[in-house]
Amino acid sequence: MGEKADSELVRRQNRRIVLDALRQRGNLARVELGRATGLSPASITAISAQLIEDKIIEEVDEPMGSALTGKRGRPIVRLSLRAEATHVAVVKISIDAVSMMLADFQGRVTAERAFRIPTYGSEQATFGETLAATLASFIEEHRGKSGVARVGIAVQGLADSRSGSINWSPVFRARHVPIAPAIEKRLQVPVMVVNDANMIAEGLLSMDRESYGGNTAVVFLGYGVGMGLILNGAVYHGATGAASEFGHMNHLPDGALCRCGRKGCLEAYAADYAILRTAYGTPQDEPRMSAVDPAQMIELMNKAKAGDTVALNAYEAAGTALGFGIARTIALLNPDRIILAGPGTRALELIEPAMHRAIKDGVVDEISRHVTIEHVSFDKDMIARGTIDALLRGLVRDVFSQGPSRASATHMEFAK
Amino acid sequence: MGEKADSELVRRQNRRIVLDALRQRGNLARVELGRATGLSPASITAISAQLIEDKIIEEVDEPMGSALTGKRGRPIVRLSLRAEATHVAVVKISIDAVSMMLADFQGRVTAERAFRIPTYGSEQATFGETLAATLASFIEEHRGKSGVARVGIAVQGLADSRSGSINWSPVFRARHVPIAPAIEKRLQVPVMVVNDANMIAEGLLSMDRESYGGNTAVVFLGYGVGMGLILNGAVYHGATGAASEFGHMNHLPDGALCRCGRKGCLEAYAADYAILRTAYGTPQDEPRMSAVDPAQMIELMNKAKAGDTVALNAYEAAGTALGFGIARTIALLNPDRIILAGPGTRALELIEPAMHRAIKDGVVDEISRHVTIEHVSFDKDMIARGTIDALLRGLVRDVFSQGPSRASATHMEFAK
DNA sequence: ATTGATTATTTTGGCGTCTAAAATAATTCT
DNA sequence: AGAATTATTTTAGACGCCAAAATAATCAAT
């Protein structure tokens, strides 16, 4: 429990605090850093000198908007993360489409591209190699020899952080598709394979730790149903990286058929495809795998809003399943916040009444009364944002906080 | 994120590491402490000298069993926690019965007594005062002026750690019974109000961090159904201390009536009273509140083992509910271990088949395959053991790790 | 333009804690 | 009794922090 402390740990921790402050609050002058971190000016001078020496941060001259007007005294010199200090790569895998992007140390996207790479029908044995080759040339093209220090792969479904593979995902027909090993071998860089909803949670966390930093469940509604859990202020990945499969948490034993092949998953009631299935009276044991056209969902929504009973009932069924799922989550985890997000929330007003009823029926008042349930909308690149932030945070923790002696941006380990 | 580090933090952390090593491994000599903590002999000398000075630990002469036979060299001198350094009090509240115990810094129980204090019919306004008075005189009797440094109150149901009250419990008819404030006021000591299943988890954790230290769910089967969650190596309490109400996680919407007044809770299928209710064909919407005689459960179990179909079906229904509950927990949290414990496990062989079937039906193979499900039996004082350990751990963290200047064993805050 | 006021940053000196290495202590073995 | 062995303490030096003093860079006012 806890690790031996010595002066090395002190410096490491303080370097990390300084870098995190810059990452979270943007460029700060030394005085401001002192106030933000609680460190004395003398220490800030020493630490920042070292970080500048290590080319991790740099002084920045703010030419115009300095707002130095009227202020007496020696002007501040802001410090900023040196964008070029490192780069990371993010790969988002969707059905037969892969998007890749690079980001610098400031978290800014420096390159982005979409690839058509077959996933669903791909061979378990070759996909990783194909992806690695594509990624390698994408990185080579934009970064040349410099490469990247970390790679994050976000995908819907069951990520396995230990083996770096995707154990099950709607994106692949195959199970246990290995991803990380091929890339790690080729790029000699740590690769993390993660669930996309967890990265959305990371993104929200990076935007507003104040609000989401306690115990928050982020529910993502769309073609599937996902969840990212923030427990005690950090995104929770579970033992193997497979948490939190909210969408495949059972709603009704022996219930409607889900894409995963099991019956009664929450997703089989509340995902887009499930709502459509209910609305069109398709038998609930009929697989509904084909992609859903967003226009179709909007049409259904409008029908419901116009009073179409069948459509309304479909949303109600979704709301009930969602509500019981949330109720179960609340009973188990006693969170302080539930966030609803994703395209599925466009019909939130149709879902909400049944959802709230189910929550009321499904969990003791004494727990649920402390939970805030709210809706947040964000742009679709929240996954990328969260992944970039998680990668950079790890890099700061494992590499840049280390003293100059140990810094090595391409080391192959993820410290826990 | 993370706190400024300085030499004070270094000493605090290392003191804590040393004390934790002694708490977890028993008496150790300075060399052994060095090996256990990674600290140099010189530092161990310095730290232990200070701790001895502060009367937190002491040298111990091991007169006979020293096993010093055959060993050359200067003999070791073991250090031990000084039992008298502090005492804590644990209160377990059951229906109309309260048991209190005191434990010293080594975790040994030094006094114990059961009281008949009416709980179920008690007034919300007076119970806390009554309890405080009883506890105060119990402590006074055994500890005189020395008192205790911390109090822990363990109870079935919804603890509210923020207000120090019990928001709902089968033990009380009333809701929101305040407990901590009256005791804190009277004894001027921090009081924690916690769920008993969480303390069982603490107890297991204190016995075997190796096995249970990752992500473990401890399910307690008995008159009720409880759960203690260990996430990332620490017992998880949730936002208000109400996690994890596994027993009141909904199993079937609009299902069997539960003691909590809601319908379909897992407990309403898998608790002792529920199994009896099913077995005797009592309608599922009939409240079954009265205490269950263990003999009655054993009788039922024997009937089932003898092949009685009705009894078997009752256990099967319990197994199914339990299994789906576990499946949902696995989907949400991806634990690496599920522990079944409590008197209800005496009929485990009757419950297990249906339980495993439900788990198989309720969660994707790819997650459940990594989960170990096992049964552990322990003596009934695991709650006390866990509570004592949690209290002492907090005391070490908040008080004894502090340098001599700040140590004050009766400070009123719980640091988080 | 010079001087003083003001604010930012760096330098200096001292403190606390750690470690390695040397010294000391307490035994057993021969 | 002396040598060998193991435990603990002492010594000397390193590192990081902080407070206070010194320096730097600006604005304001005469």
Side-chain angles (χ1 to χ4, degrees):
Chain A
M1 189 177 283
E3 188 193 346
K4 175 184 79 164
D6 55 17
S7 65
E8 193 192 313
L9 175 119
V10 169
R11 189 33 92 69
R12 196 166 47 202
Q13 169 125 339
N14 287 338
R15 271 173 83 117
R16 191 168 60 78
I17 289 173
V18 166
L19 289 171
D20 281 345
L22 289 173
R23 268 168 29 79
Q24 282 171 31
R25 312 198 190 193
N27 301 351
L28 296 175
R30 291 177 176 78
V31 238
E32 297 167 329
L33 268 175
R35 279 193 291 269
T37 60
L39 289 162
S40 71
S43 302
I44 295 289
T45 292
I47 291 169
S48 59
Q50 222 179 67
L51 289 170
I52 289 169
E53 164 91 10
D54 294 348
K55 310 229 179 189
I56 295 170
I57 66 174
E58 61 193 358
E59 295 195 340
V60 67
D61 24 319
E62 296 175 313
M64 10 98 284
S66 330
L68 25 67
T69 38
K71 294 249 298 173
R72 297 235 257 169
R74 177 175 175 171
I76 59 177
V77 180
R78 288 238 161 75
L79 301 171
S80 87
L81 302 174
R82 209 173 67 88
E84 281 304 310
T86 193
H87 275 68
V88 295
V90 171
V91 177
K92 285 190 294 177
I93 305 180
S94 325
I95 299 190
D96 296 333
V98 172
S99 102
M100 297 184 181
M101 51 218 299
L102 303 181
D104 63 26
F105 188 40
Q106 295 184 348
R108 279 200 292 251
V109 175
T110 58
E112 179 166 15
R113 185 151 143 216
F115 296 85
R116 304 244 107 233
I117 300 181
T119 61
Y120 193 74
S122 70
E123 294 289 320
Q124 191 194 56
T126 57
F127 180 80
E129 290 297 342
T130 310
L131 186 67
T134 311
L135 180 60
S137 81
F138 177 67
I139 292 173
E140 165 78 31
E141 177 187 342
H142 294 280
R143 297 277 302 152
K145 288 265 173 282
S146 325
V148 298
R150 293 279 151 106
V151 175
I153 318 258
V155 64
Q156 219 185 107
L158 288 185
D160 184 335
S161 56
R162 296 204 274 213
S163 67
S165 58
I166 297 167
N167 283 348
W168 178 80
S169 167
V171 164
F172 296 99
R173 187 187 347 247
R175 308 222 157 176
H176 304 285
V177 181
I179 307 275
I183 300 176
E184 284 182 341
K185 193 169 168 201
R186 189 162 201 135
L187 301 179
Q188 292 295 309
V189 139
V191 176
M192 77 179 188
V193 178
V194 290
N195 174 274
D196 57 354
N198 286 346
M199 292 304 101
I200 291 175
E202 286 284 5
L204 286 174
L205 205 49
S206 81
M207 289 181 64
D208 186 354
R209 289 204 122 69
E210 193 64 42
S211 304
Y212 307 126
N215 300 79
T216 300
V218 183
V219 177
F220 185 86
L221 300 174
Y223 181 61
V225 173
M227 177 180 276
L229 274 179
I230 298 167
L231 302 182
N232 295 329
V235 173
Y236 175 82
H237 289 265
T240 65
S244 341
E245 274 305 329
F246 183 66
H248 300 285
M249 185 176 183
N250 179 275
H251 170 48
L252 283 181
D254 204 30
L257 185 67
C258 176
R259 289 185 293 171
C260 73
R262 222 145 300 268
K263 287 178 168 186
C265 295
L266 197 152
E267 187 179 292
Y269 297 87
D272 282 357
Y273 74 87
I275 296 175
L276 275 183
R277 184 168 64 182
T278 314
Y280 289 114
T282 315
Q284 299 240 307
D285 56 352
E286 182 165 310
R288 182 71 167 77
M289 298 299 196
S290 55
V292 172
D293 180 0
Q296 215 177 346
M297 291 307 297
I298 289 170
E299 188 193 319
L300 183 68
M301 181 176 74
N302 290 333
K303 266 166 83 174
K305 283 186 180 166
D308 181 304
T309 323
V310 175
L312 280 170
N313 287 345
Y315 284 109
E316 185 178 337
T320 301
L322 188 61
F324 274 105
I326 291 175
R328 288 164 182 146
T329 305
I330 292 174
L332 205 58
L333 295 176
N334 176 218
D336 38 32
R337 244 192 184 78
I338 308 274
I339 307 287
L340 300 171
T345 56
R346 60 171 116 60
L348 196 56
E349 54 182 301
L350 299 169
I351 293 176
E352 263 186 325
M355 181 186 91
H356 283 296
R357 225 175 303 129
I359 293 174
K360 206 168 154 62
D361 288 350
V363 65
V364 199
D365 223 45
E366 268 68 29
I367 318 185
S368 60
R369 63 160 38 136
H370 294 289
V371 186
T372 311
I373 300 181
E374 60 195 51
H375 167 223
V376 168
S377 53
F378 43 74
D379 85 32
K380 60 197 280 286
D381 266 351
M382 190 59 105
I383 293 176
R385 178 181 182 136
T387 311
I388 291 168
D389 194 71
L391 290 170
L392 293 178
R393 181 155 31 81
L395 220 34
V396 164
R397 176 171 28 67
D398 304 340
V399 181
F400 295 143
S401 297
Q402 244 61 40
S405 49
R406 313 199 72 251
S408 144
T410 53
H411 199 275
M412 279 293 296
E413 289 161 30
F414 277 112
K416 180 72 198 203
Chain B
M1 189 178 281
E3 188 193 345
K4 176 187 78 166
D6 55 17
S7 65
E8 193 191 314
L9 176 122
V10 170
R11 193 28 95 69
R12 199 167 42 202
Q13 170 129 336
N14 288 337
R15 271 173 82 119
R16 190 167 62 76
I17 289 173
V18 166
L19 289 172
D20 281 345
L22 290 173
R23 268 166 30 78
Q24 281 172 32
R25 312 198 190 194
N27 301 351
L28 295 175
R30 289 177 177 78
V31 239
E32 296 167 329
L33 267 176
R35 279 192 290 269
T37 59
L39 290 162
S40 72
S43 302
I44 296 289
T45 292
I47 291 168
S48 59
Q50 221 180 68
L51 289 170
I52 289 170
E53 164 92 11
D54 293 349
K55 310 234 180 183
I56 295 171
I57 66 174
E58 62 195 355
E59 294 195 340
V60 67
D61 24 318
E62 296 175 313
M64 8 96 287
S66 332
L68 23 68
T69 37
K71 294 249 298 175
R72 295 236 254 167
R74 178 176 175 171
I76 60 178
V77 180
R78 288 237 162 75
L79 300 171
S80 88
L81 302 175
R82 210 172 68 87
E84 280 304 311
T86 194
H87 275 67
V88 296
V90 171
V91 176
K92 286 191 294 179
I93 305 180
S94 325
I95 298 192
D96 296 333
V98 172
S99 101
M100 296 183 181
M101 51 218 295
L102 303 182
D104 63 26
F105 189 40
Q106 296 184 347
R108 280 201 293 250
V109 174
T110 58
E112 179 166 14
R113 184 149 145 217
F115 296 85
R116 305 242 107 235
I117 300 181
T119 60
Y120 194 74
S122 71
E123 294 290 319
Q124 191 196 55
T126 58
F127 180 81
E129 290 297 340
T130 310
L131 186 66
T134 311
L135 178 60
S137 80
F138 176 67
I139 292 172
E140 164 78 30
E141 178 187 341
H142 294 279
R143 296 278 302 153
K145 289 263 173 280
S146 323
V148 298
R150 293 279 149 108
V151 176
I153 318 257
V155 65
Q156 220 186 104
L158 290 184
D160 184 334
S161 56
R162 297 204 275 210
S163 67
S165 57
I166 298 167
N167 283 347
W168 178 79
S169 166
V171 163
F172 295 99
R173 181 177 4 234
R175 310 222 155 175
H176 304 285
V177 182
I179 306 276
I183 301 176
E184 283 182 340
K185 193 168 166 202
R186 188 164 203 131
L187 302 179
Q188 291 296 308
V189 139
V191 176
M192 78 180 187
V193 178
V194 291
N195 174 274
D196 57 355
N198 287 346
M199 292 302 101
I200 291 174
E202 286 285 4
L204 287 173
L205 205 50
S206 81
M207 289 181 64
D208 186 354
R209 288 205 123 68
E210 193 64 42
S211 304
Y212 307 125
N215 299 80
T216 300
V218 183
V219 177
F220 184 85
L221 300 175
Y223 181 61
V225 173
M227 176 180 275
L229 274 179
I230 298 168
L231 302 181
N232 295 328
V235 173
Y236 175 82
H237 290 265
T240 65
S244 343
E245 274 304 330
F246 183 66
H248 300 285
M249 186 176 182
N250 179 274
H251 170 49
L252 284 182
D254 205 30
L257 185 66
C258 175
R259 289 185 293 170
C260 74
R262 223 145 300 267
K263 287 178 168 188
C265 296
L266 197 152
E267 187 178 292
Y269 297 88
D272 283 356
Y273 75 87
I275 297 176
L276 274 183
R277 184 169 64 183
T278 314
Y280 290 114
T282 314
Q284 300 239 306
D285 57 351
E286 181 163 309
R288 181 69 166 83
M289 299 302 196
S290 55
V292 172
D293 179 359
Q296 214 177 346
M297 292 307 297
I298 290 171
E299 189 194 318
L300 183 68
M301 182 177 74
N302 290 334
K303 267 166 82 173
K305 284 188 181 165
D308 181 301
T309 324
V310 175
L312 281 169
N313 287 346
Y315 282 110
E316 186 178 337
T320 302
L322 188 59
F324 274 104
I326 291 175
R328 288 165 181 146
T329 304
I330 292 174
L332 204 57
L333 294 176
N334 176 218
D336 37 33
R337 247 196 181 79
I338 308 274
I339 307 287
L340 300 172
T345 57
R346 60 173 115 63
L348 195 57
E349 54 181 300
L350 298 169
I351 293 177
E352 263 185 325
M355 181 185 89
H356 284 296
R357 224 176 304 131
I359 293 174
K360 206 169 154 66
D361 288 349
V363 66
V364 199
D365 226 43
E366 268 68 28
I367 318 185
S368 60
R369 65 161 34 138
H370 293 290
V371 186
T372 311
I373 299 181
E374 60 195 52
H375 167 222
V376 167
S377 53
F378 44 73
D379 86 31
K380 61 196 280 285
D381 265 351
M382 191 56 109
I383 294 175
R385 178 180 183 137
T387 311
I388 291 168
D389 194 70
L391 290 171
L392 293 178
R393 181 155 33 81
L395 221 33
V396 164
R397 175 169 32 66
D398 303 341
V399 181
F400 294 143
S401 298
Q402 242 61 40
S405 50
R406 313 197 73 252
S408 143
T410 52
H411 200 276
M412 281 290 298
E413 289 163 30
F414 277 113
K416 180 72 197 200

